[in-house]
Amino acid sequence: MWASLDRSWQLRYDDPKEMVHLAWNAVRASFRLDATLYGRPLMCDLQARAAADLGNAYRVANVPQSAERALQNARRLFEQGTGDPLLEVRLLDFEASLLAQIRHFVPATQKLLKMLTFHEKQGDRHLIGRTLVKLGLFAGYDGNCELALQWLEQSLELIDEKRDPGLACAAAHNLILFLVDSGRIAQGKKLRLVHSRRLIRSGGRITQLKFRDLDGRIAYGEGNHLRAEAIFREVRAGFIETGLPILAGISMINLTAALLAQGKAREAERTVTQASRLFVELGLQREALQAVILLRDSFRMRAATLAMVKEVSDFLRRVMWDPGLRFEAWSWEKE
């Protein structure tokens, strides 16, 4: 059981499908435990731990309904267990991440603040920093960019990089992400260079792809469209290889912008058409799919603009965290 859980956790940045598979094996193993040997409360703790990790694995693999069921089961088992505070902190962490993924930022933040209080009492600076990373991420996705930047900058002062280099990498990534999202390209590029050592040492394939995507967006923001094109092609292929087709599709929209900015309208049209087919196959959320199809049709009518592509790209990134978001199509009204 423990070997499966440990390996599952190690794969969170590289192979979400295998992460789920291993966590599921751990859950099956936990329900074969002998209650007479461990005692009912401790056995419930072990089963809760496995169920919690399975729920988190489903979340990473973008299967929120399965994640919710697994985490609810983990919470039920935890309440029947010993009340281990470390286990509860782990469960709170996973519950908060899922709540944020389905856009419930207030309860997600409340769970993180409970975690923060626990770590402050324990005096663990590293885990305080880890919690601040998530608070910053959730604040940013909730539209509070300045608070996000504040928490993320503070987290980098507390994180023990030797203890968890991937966490320092995530904090740096999110900090640069929100700067780029808010149009502060020069500042984002500067921090990209400042934190380059952290980013190189991140270790995870998915994390590296997300950093490369930021490199592409920075290059595009600086007007280096040829470099942006090369990076977005690389990122698209990488996300397909790692089983993250939605992120690959968003990379294709970014690639469309880089191509159109160079006057490669026909290639841009082919790329957005491929993206629309991919999103149809994936059963993308209605508003997101309509946005992509509207962009595709604009290319077919030779009416597409860079503003349209940017609006769709920005919308696709936001709608991943806010499924209820509506596509306004402001760029089309200006035509």
Side-chain angles (χ1 to χ4, degrees), residues 294 305 307-308 311-312 315 318 326-335:
L294 182 61
T305 65
M308 292 175 182
E311 184 175 355
V312 172
F315 177 76
R318 296 198 312 274
R326 292 186 62 82
F327 184 64
E328 301 294 344
W330 296 118
S331 301
W332 278 260
E333 292 184 5
K334 295 176 182 178
E335 293 302 308

Side-chain angles (χ1 to χ4, degrees), residues 181-219:
D181 277 349
S182 60
R184 287 175 265 191
I185 302 298
Q187 193 175 352
K189 182 180 181 180
K190 178 181 178 180
L191 287 181
R192 178 70 173 92
L193 296 173
V194 168
H195 295 295
S196 59
R197 179 177 55 83
R198 282 192 172 108
L199 309 185
I200 291 171
R201 295 174 55 191
S202 68
R205 171 66 168 153
I206 294 173
T207 303
Q208 284 295 323
L209 287 169
K210 289 180 178 179
F211 274 123
R212 288 297 286 160
D213 183 67
L214 276 178
D215 287 339
R217 293 178 62 196
I218 289 171

Side-chain angles (χ1 to χ4, degrees), residues 13-14 16-17 173 204-214 231-252 254 278 320:
Y13 298 127
D14 295 304
K17 289 183 180 179
H173 172 270
R205 171 66 168 153
I206 294 173
T207 303
Q208 284 295 323
L209 287 169
K210 289 180 178 179
F211 274 123
R212 288 297 286 160
D213 183 67
L214 276 178
I231 293 173
F232 289 139
R233 288 187 187 280
E234 172 192 336
V235 169
R236 175 189 61 180
F239 281 134
I240 290 174
E241 290 173 3
T242 52
L244 295 172
I246 292 179
L247 294 182
I250 295 174
S251 296
M252 292 169 76
N254 291 335
L278 174 63
M320 290 183 67

Side-chain angles (χ1 to χ4, degrees), residues 159-173:
I159 292 169
D160 183 348
E161 190 172 349
K162 293 181 180 178
R163 185 170 166 183
D164 188 350
L167 180 61
C169 176
H173 172 270

